[in-house]
Amino acid sequence: MSRKRYQLRTEIEQRWPTLYQFLAAYCHQEWPCFHESIGAAIDTAISHYTTEARQRVLKEWRNCNETLMSVDDVRFALNDGFGVCMMFRKPIDGRNFWNTVYDKLIVSVRDEFGERWNP
């Protein structure tokens, strides 16, 4: 692991530990062996996390989105920082994945709390 990659991974693990575990534990290099798509891997992660844990993931996602992920190309952060093993050919592919994670999390929490939940 390069020094730059190690430093990024360490920073992510320290600043956003729940988000890091959420992505790294389900979107690792063997996700195709367990899931038919990366979206299905995210759905499985959501099903294994409590509502409270998903709310922590959302909070960390928002903070990370405002800082580290505020750049145009998030592929390096996703792949080398969060350990997401997915080939994003274009910067927009990485951004779409990142936003899909958020959308799926929001829907999962709203489904449990209904309209009374305010993110």
Side-chain angles (χ1 to χ4, degrees), residues 34 38 68 95 106:
F34 302 103
I38 195 77
L68 177 70
R95 177 64 61 191
I106 286 287

Side-chain angles (χ1 to χ4, degrees), residues 16-20 56-64:
W16 306 289
T18 313
L19 177 59
Y20 171 76
R56 280 194 309 276
V57 173
L58 279 167
K59 183 177 180 181
E60 291 179 14
W61 187 98
R62 285 188 200 101
N63 179 269
C64 185

Side-chain angles (χ1 to χ4, degrees), residues 6-90:
Y6 175 78
Q7 288 174 331
L8 177 62
R9 176 87 41 107
T10 300
E11 176 189 2
I12 286 173
E13 286 179 21
Q14 291 172 355
R15 290 181 69 185
W16 306 289
T18 313
L19 177 59
Y20 171 76
Q21 284 300 317
F22 181 85
L23 292 172
Y26 292 89
C27 300
H28 53 74
Q29 65 187 11
E30 294 181 0
W31 71 260
C33 298
F34 302 103
H35 310 284
E36 57 190 53
S37 69
I38 195 77
I42 296 299
D43 292 339
T44 300
I46 286 170
S47 73
H48 290 171
Y49 274 63
T50 65
T51 304
E52 294 77 22
R54 282 181 275 138
Q55 288 176 306
R56 280 194 309 276
V57 173
L58 279 167
K59 183 177 180 181
E60 291 179 14
W61 187 98
R62 285 188 200 101
N63 179 269
C64 185
N65 192 56
E66 293 171 358
T67 55
L68 177 70
M69 302 301 252
S70 65
V71 297
D72 290 333
D73 193 349
V74 298
R75 293 177 294 177
F76 180 71
L78 286 171
N79 294 139
D80 293 345
F82 283 104
V84 174
C85 192
M86 177 81 180
M87 171 100 153
F88 303 111
R89 295 188 191 278
K90 300 176 191 169

